[in-house]
Amino acid sequence: MLTRAMHRCSTVLRPTSPVVSSGLCKASGQTSMRPVVADGRRRWMSVEGAESDEDQHEIMFYSLRHAATVTLKEMHHFGAQANNKRTLLLAAQFLHEELPIRLARRVRELKKLPFGLGETDAIKEVRKLYEKSFFQIRRSPEPKTADAEEQFTHVLDKMMSEHNNVQATIARGLQELHASGDKRIRSVSGSDLIMQEGSPFDFGQFLDKFYLSRVGMRVLIGQHIMLHHPQDGFIGIIQTACKPAFVCEHAILDAQKICEMSLGLAPDVKVEGAIGMTLPYIPEHLHYIFFELLKNSMRAVVERYRKLYPDKELTRDDLPPISVIFSEGAEDVAIKISDKGGGIPRSGMQRLWTYSFTTAGNTQEKMEQLESQRQRPIMAGFAHGLPLSRIHARAFGGDLQVMSMQGHGTDVYIYLWKLGDREVAVP
């Protein structure tokens, strides 16, 4: 429960100084972890990352603790009381205690990456960013007053902005790996499995966990920040009566715009079914999922019909529309996006969920285009859109599945857990 997790802030063991190392103490026949203070003075730590053994020890101490579990329903219920300043204060204290644990766990996992993966420039950049955020929070005083809570919220807001480009940086790291030419390391075809001297490592599984954790942290931080900026119909970032069809309409316009800018043409989209249904949800997450899936469908349709009619100047009327159907069940909201973009070979279906596969051409070329800041937008090709859409759907107990008929088109099914009581926290 969220309230229990927040109550934990006043009862958990916490270091009395930022400079700690882990030690073992025995009490009542049990072995437990406790902090050991390196010296008697309080030392301000660098916020650029872990630069000493003491810094590393502190990160290790927090990485061995367990993250709290929080559900969407609990966030919705707790946020409804946020007009009470004491509630905001409790939420800030919870984040002040909880976020270093989550950040430290990711730092430790990034450092433990095998085969030199953790030493690529991009992965080190992400790790340093997480270390920096860890120390920014740890050196911020625990918010015990309204003023301190407001200052801490500014720290969180800045941290959110600094982490905006993590996804692009990870994608660049994957390209560094593939371009390294190290013959000891090879990617297994059709997966994100990396082999070195016969030892496998599932990098895709690691990224699934990493990105799910990232979504969880950004939800917790975003919820607290937006409780300071109340909007009608919202509790933080959660819309109390979110209408998926309405969010989809906005995503359609955005996807059509970028498709027209990139390819010069975009198909229509038909929305039908239970378009009036509502549920408590985060519309930003829904928009991300719809936008990524619709971009893929639009590109597939345009490219297929240009190949079918190479001598014809196509217009929107020449393209088959994409269909989006909404359905509401007792537990789930189900959404099907169907296109006639030619489909995907059955042999390539599993590769859809890898972070190194894209149907939109060379990822390295896309990264170079992005860095050169060309005028025409890049519509696809980073290989993260589909697996990250599934991560966003699964974050609150939903799912995303793909069925395809090569020579015809692709159906994508989105499932949203309607009751909102699945856990968002990850190990």
Side-chain angles (χ1 to χ4, degrees):
M1 294 291 292
L2 183 59
T3 48
R4 290 181 183 175
M6 291 184 173
H7 177 69
R8 187 190 69 174
C9 295
S10 61
T11 59
V12 293
L13 179 67
R14 50 167 77 99
T16 56
S17 164
V19 187
V20 299
S21 61
S22 58
L24 294 176
C25 65
K26 293 185 178 180
S28 304
Q30 294 183 341
T31 302
S32 60
M33 187 68 71
R34 66 173 175 83
V36 179
V37 181
D39 58 41
R41 303 181 306 278
R42 181 176 182 84
R43 180 171 73 87
W44 287 115
M45 296 224 165
S46 165
V47 294
E48 295 305 318
E51 297 179 354
S52 68
D53 289 343
E54 289 85 357
D55 293 351
Q56 297 290 354
H57 289 157
E58 182 174 8
I59 290 175
M60 177 59 70
F61 172 78
Y62 272 87
S63 73
L64 295 175
R65 294 168 59 180
H66 293 290
T69 56
V70 184
T71 71
L72 189 63
K73 180 180 286 187
E74 290 169 345
M75 289 174 59
H76 185 272
H77 175 73
F78 188 85
Q81 309 169 48
N83 56 345
N84 184 329
K85 289 186 177 181
R86 183 176 178 277
T87 303
L88 282 175
L89 204 57
L90 282 173
Q93 290 169 359
F94 167 70
L95 292 178
H96 188 270
E97 186 67 34
E98 178 69 16
L99 292 176
I101 297 172
R102 295 176 181 239
L103 290 164
R105 291 173 73 89
R106 303 291 80 79
V107 169
R108 185 180 68 169
E109 290 169 357
L110 288 167
K111 288 190 69 174
K112 286 170 59 181
L113 284 172
F115 312 153
L117 293 173
E119 296 307 311
T120 61
D121 290 343
I123 299 299
K124 283 197 293 186
E125 182 181 333
V126 172
R127 192 184 79 228
K128 285 293 183 183
L129 178 62
Y130 272 65
E131 290 175 351
K132 175 182 176 181
S133 297
F134 174 88
F135 287 116
Q136 281 178 331
I137 294 175
R138 287 289 301 131
R139 70 183 286 176
S140 297
E142 182 180 0
K144 295 181 177 180
T145 66
D147 287 342
E149 186 273 327
E150 189 171 340
Q151 291 176 0
F152 181 64
T153 302
H154 286 310
V155 171
L156 297 181
D157 199 6
K158 180 183 177 185
M159 191 179 105
M160 282 275 282
S161 298
E162 290 176 342
H163 283 246
N164 282 342
N165 293 325
V166 164
Q167 177 186 330
T169 306
I170 293 286
R172 191 172 78 242
L174 281 169
Q175 289 307 306
E176 287 180 24
L177 175 66
H178 291 304
S180 66
D182 189 341
K183 294 183 179 179
R184 297 173 302 165
I185 301 175
R186 64 184 179 88
S187 295
V188 177
S189 178
S191 73
D192 283 319
L193 198 66
I194 297 172
M195 300 288 292
Q196 182 177 22
E197 299 176 352
S199 299
F201 174 70
D202 194 334
F203 196 44
Q205 188 178 68
F206 165 81
L207 286 177
D208 281 345
K209 183 177 179 181
F210 179 86
Y211 281 131
L212 187 57
S213 168
R214 182 172 185 264
V215 169
M217 278 194 286
R218 291 182 73 84
V219 165
L220 291 174
I221 296 171
Q223 176 72 355
H224 182 72
I225 290 172
M226 290 308 296
L227 287 176
H228 285 263
H229 309 282
Q231 306 175 68
D232 289 341
F234 281 79
I235 295 177
I237 59 174
I238 304 169
Q239 189 173 16
T240 55
C242 177
K243 187 181 291 187
F246 180 77
V247 178
C248 184
E249 293 284 0
H250 281 269
I252 289 168
L253 295 175
D254 292 338
Q256 284 177 330
K257 181 177 180 180
I258 197 170
C259 188
E260 289 169 351
M261 293 174 68
S262 179
L263 302 176
L265 186 63
D268 276 323
V269 181
K270 291 170 56 180
V271 179
E272 52 190 316
I275 60 175
M277 66 177 173
T278 64
L279 76 163
Y281 213 79
I282 302 173
E284 182 182 359
H285 284 198
L286 280 181
H287 185 278
Y288 179 88
I289 296 169
F290 286 138
F291 180 64
E292 290 296 330
L293 299 178
L294 288 166
K295 275 197 312 174
N296 289 347
S297 289
M298 290 179 185
R299 179 183 58 81
V301 168
V302 172
E303 291 181 351
R304 183 193 185 202
Y305 275 75
R306 279 185 171 160
K307 288 179 181 178
L308 290 174
Y309 304 101
D311 300 324
K312 184 176 181 180
E313 187 69 28
L314 296 176
T315 66
R316 180 172 291 188
D317 292 337
D318 297 315
L319 303 176
I322 295 165
S323 170
V324 183
I325 302 174
F326 291 85
S327 177
E328 182 177 15
E331 294 182 355
D332 291 312
V333 168
I335 305 148
K336 182 173 76 168
I337 300 178
S338 303
D339 67 57
K340 295 180 180 178
I344 303 159
R346 195 157 59 94
S347 60
M349 289 296 292
Q350 190 57 36
R351 297 176 66 193
L352 290 176
W353 307 112
T354 68
Y355 292 89
S356 54
F357 173 75
T358 173
T359 60
N362 186 279
T363 303
Q364 179 62 32
E365 292 176 2
K366 306 293 182 180
M367 294 298 297
E368 291 171 358
Q369 290 178 38
L370 182 64
E371 291 172 358
S372 67
Q373 295 182 336
R374 296 179 185 175
Q375 291 296 317
R376 178 173 290 186
I378 300 168
M379 190 171 179
F382 297 106
H384 277 47
L386 195 57
L388 279 178
S389 294
R390 186 169 68 171
I391 291 291
H392 278 79
R394 287 180 170 178
F396 297 105
D399 204 358
L400 192 151
Q401 299 174 6
V402 177
M403 297 292 290
S404 191
M405 296 174 63
Q406 189 177 17
H408 178 72
T410 300
D411 293 342
V412 182
Y413 294 85
I414 307 163
Y415 299 97
L416 307 177
W417 182 250
K418 190 177 176 183
L419 304 180
D421 58 357
R422 295 282 180 91
E423 292 178 355
V424 62
V426 293

